[in-house]
Amino acid sequence: MLTRIDHIGIACHDLDTTVEFYRSTYGFEVCHTEVNEEQGVREAMLRISGTSDGGASYLQLLEPLREDSTVAKWLAKNGEGVHHIAFGTADVDGDAESIRSKGVRVLYDRPKTGSMGSRITFLHPKDCHGVLTELVTSATEH
């Protein structure tokens, strides 16, 4: 069962400049950074709020590391902005299968490693009214 909006992914050309905008404009601070070589991105997670179940909501800022990454291709086509929405779940495997059984394409056969050790998969945007959708089980939940 999906439990919360885990994060909103925002594609950007310059991670440091974008982080500074969110810090100086809204007061959001970076709680985690990492490089995900598999996905070809450098990212920063900005914590927005916490929840009673131990989860949190974040902004995930994504800067491509190379031109052939999915985020770089998306930026070239769309420019900077909202890239995806991610919903938190305690069971990314089970929820992905349940959603797949309803005719929605799940992009990974098996969840991959995401930010902060989470397990993730994506749903095809053409099956989700134009929105790239991510399912996330945080590392503390698995």
Side-chain angles (χ1 to χ4, degrees):
M1 176 173 81
L2 306 181
T3 58
R4 67 185 182 281
I5 295 175
D6 184 85
H7 67 271
I8 306 294
I10 299 173
C12 61
H13 292 291
D14 183 319
L15 186 65
D16 297 328
T17 299
T18 308
V19 163
E20 178 55 26
F21 169 81
Y22 282 97
R23 190 199 62 71
S24 64
T25 304
Y26 305 116
F28 299 154
E29 295 295 336
V30 173
C31 65
H32 179 80
T33 60
E34 70 181 77
V35 171
N36 186 320
E37 293 288 347
E38 180 182 16
Q39 294 182 22
V41 296
R42 184 169 77 107
E43 67 177 79
M45 296 294 275
L46 289 71
R47 185 182 169 111
I48 306 305
S49 66
T51 62
S52 62
D53 67 358
S57 293
Y58 301 90
L59 287 181
Q60 178 187 45
L61 306 179
L62 301 159
E63 174 190 60
L65 293 174
R66 55 185 190 270
E67 291 182 22
D68 69 337
S69 74
T70 302
V71 171
K73 292 174 186 175
W74 190 91
L75 273 168
K77 181 178 178 182
N78 301 292
E80 292 186 309
V82 175
H83 178 263
H84 67 274
I85 185 168
F87 295 109
T89 173
D91 182 10
V92 69
D93 299 274
D95 283 334
E97 283 308 310
S98 174
I99 290 168
R100 180 182 277 126
S101 75
K102 295 173 183 168
V104 175
R105 287 173 281 180
V106 178
L107 299 183
Y108 303 151
D109 290 332
R110 298 182 58 200
K112 295 186 179 196
T113 301
S115 300
M116 301 183 288
S118 62
R119 297 184 68 240
I120 65 166
T121 195
F122 286 89
L123 310 178
H124 200 292
K126 289 185 178 177
D127 297 342
C128 299
H129 298 271
V131 178
L132 179 61
T133 304
E134 182 179 4
L135 304 179
V136 179
T137 297
S138 69
T140 57
E141 292 176 312
H142 64 82

